[in-house]
Amino acid sequence: MLPWKRALRPLAALLLTTAVALVPATTTAQAADAAVTTDWGSPPLERSRELGGGWNDYSCKPSAAHPRPVVLVHGTFANSVDNWLGLAPYLTDRGYCVFSLDYGQLPGVPFFHALGPIDKSAEQLSAYVDKVLAATGAAEADLVGHSQGGMMPRYYVKFLGGAAKVNALVGIAPNNHGTDLAGLTNLLPYFPGAEDLLTAATPALAQQMAGSDFMTRLNEGGDTVPGVRYTVIATKYDQVVTPYRSQFLTGPGVKNVLIQDLCAVDLSEHAFLGLTDRIAFHEVANALDPAHATATTCASAIS
């Protein structure tokens, strides 16, 4: 095991603890409802341009080469800007109309999103996709998500009518079948009340644990929905969604990719795979336009 991987495991536990501490106990009763009634919108066009990305441009019209807008769905503790400072410019430079949303906000918790109930977050995604399709005139969108953002859209597709509006779903290190956080979640029964507190304060964290009611419902009856293409991009060094093979999907229209099969020296872990890994970005581009896919290798890091 790599030394830095061992060091990051306690960090995962710290993030769980921090998430609970962020939300005062007196506000948790209102957290679930408020998470979806607040419209935080997307980062303004001016902000994304200042950051060099140029995404969230609602005047963008998809081209014949890239006929569908791409909606980026951030992960837990992230937001619509910081998760996509690498991938959004990568895709806009290649001619895509790119959009990103904030979702799963909790009252009094700025910047760190995707903590509210996942089913409610999926409702926010549904409304946002409708907004993007109306602005661009497209009939369908492609979704690219990191971590929770690669899994949550499956709820939208499966239960909220998203299958009719989504052509492809690309998950980067997605938590598709729940995580045991390298065994840390097995410790919860030894701390009475800890799981209840986690569920009340940060519902999305509890729902993403392996064996949760949410995960059971999401995956019963099969991982996929007909008509949607699914791509999963995973790293064997993932220290958050563990075991890493739990990220992979089964069913028609699925492509599972282990990044080390494409570049054995790629050491990206959970966060870096979505934030900075241009080898993973190249595979995202292939998933969005499979008719013009090119081989993904270590050299893709500089392409």
Side-chain angles (χ1 to χ4, degrees):
M1 182 186 300
L2 295 175
W4 54 264
K5 184 178 179 184
R6 286 197 301 269
L8 283 170
R9 283 186 174 179
L11 177 59
L14 177 61
L15 287 176
L16 287 174
T17 305
T18 301
V20 174
L22 281 172
V23 185
T26 54
T27 67
T28 56
Q30 295 83 23
D33 292 336
V36 294
T37 56
T38 303
D39 180 11
W40 290 68
S42 59
L45 173 60
E46 293 76 11
R47 185 175 180 191
S48 61
R49 281 178 171 166
E50 288 171 2
L51 293 168
W55 75 98
N56 284 317
D57 181 354
Y58 286 89
S59 67
C60 186
K61 300 300 179 184
S63 64
H66 303 304
R68 291 174 298 275
V70 177
V71 175
L72 304 178
V73 190
H74 65 75
T76 310
F77 292 108
N79 60 59
S80 61
V81 174
D82 66 15
N83 209 144
W84 305 120
L85 293 175
L87 183 58
Y90 183 95
L91 293 176
T92 57
D93 287 348
R94 285 156 178 77
Y96 289 91
C97 293
V98 179
F99 302 85
S100 62
L101 78 156
D102 287 306
Y103 70 89
Q105 305 92 336
L106 293 180
V109 184
F111 309 119
F112 302 103
H113 301 327
L115 296 172
I118 299 176
D119 52 328
K120 302 302 182 183
S121 293
E123 293 177 9
Q124 290 179 285
L125 175 62
S126 177
Y128 189 80
V129 170
D130 286 349
K131 177 181 177 181
V132 168
L133 293 180
T136 60
E140 292 182 311
D142 290 328
L143 309 183
V144 179
H146 180 210
S147 192
Q148 183 188 158
M151 170 273 293
M152 178 270 281
R154 292 180 52 222
Y155 190 97
Y156 161 57
V157 167
K158 192 170 186 176
F159 298 114
L160 302 179
K165 302 173 185 178
V166 174
N167 169 71
L169 170 58
V170 184
I172 306 172
N175 188 11
N176 278 322
H177 296 97
T179 179
D180 65 5
L181 277 175
L184 285 171
T185 58
N186 296 329
L187 298 177
L188 284 174
Y190 296 96
F191 297 89
E195 187 167 355
D196 290 340
L197 178 59
L198 187 66
T199 300
T202 52
L205 294 182
Q207 289 175 316
Q208 289 183 84
M209 293 191 299
S212 71
D213 290 344
F214 176 85
M215 283 294 169
T216 298
R217 183 180 183 219
L218 177 64
N219 292 304
E220 64 185 357
D223 292 345
T224 63
V225 173
V228 178
R229 290 189 296 105
Y230 297 82
T231 301
V232 174
I233 303 170
T235 171
K236 67 181 182 181
Y237 299 121
D238 200 309
Q239 81 289 1
V240 175
V241 182
T242 56
Y244 74 85
R245 291 193 178 277
S246 68
Q247 300 172 29
F248 294 148
L249 298 172
T250 58
V254 170
K255 180 181 180 182
N256 292 314
V257 178
L258 182 63
I259 206 72
Q260 284 75 32
D261 288 343
L262 306 177
C263 179
V265 297
D266 189 328
L267 302 180
S268 289
E269 43 66 68
H270 182 84
F272 287 161
L273 193 69
L275 296 177
T276 63
D277 192 326
R278 290 177 68 91
I279 298 172
F281 293 175
H282 187 270
E283 199 60 17
V284 169
N286 281 346
L288 294 176
D289 189 7
H292 299 94
T294 57
T296 301
T297 67
C298 294
S300 301
I302 57 175
S303 63

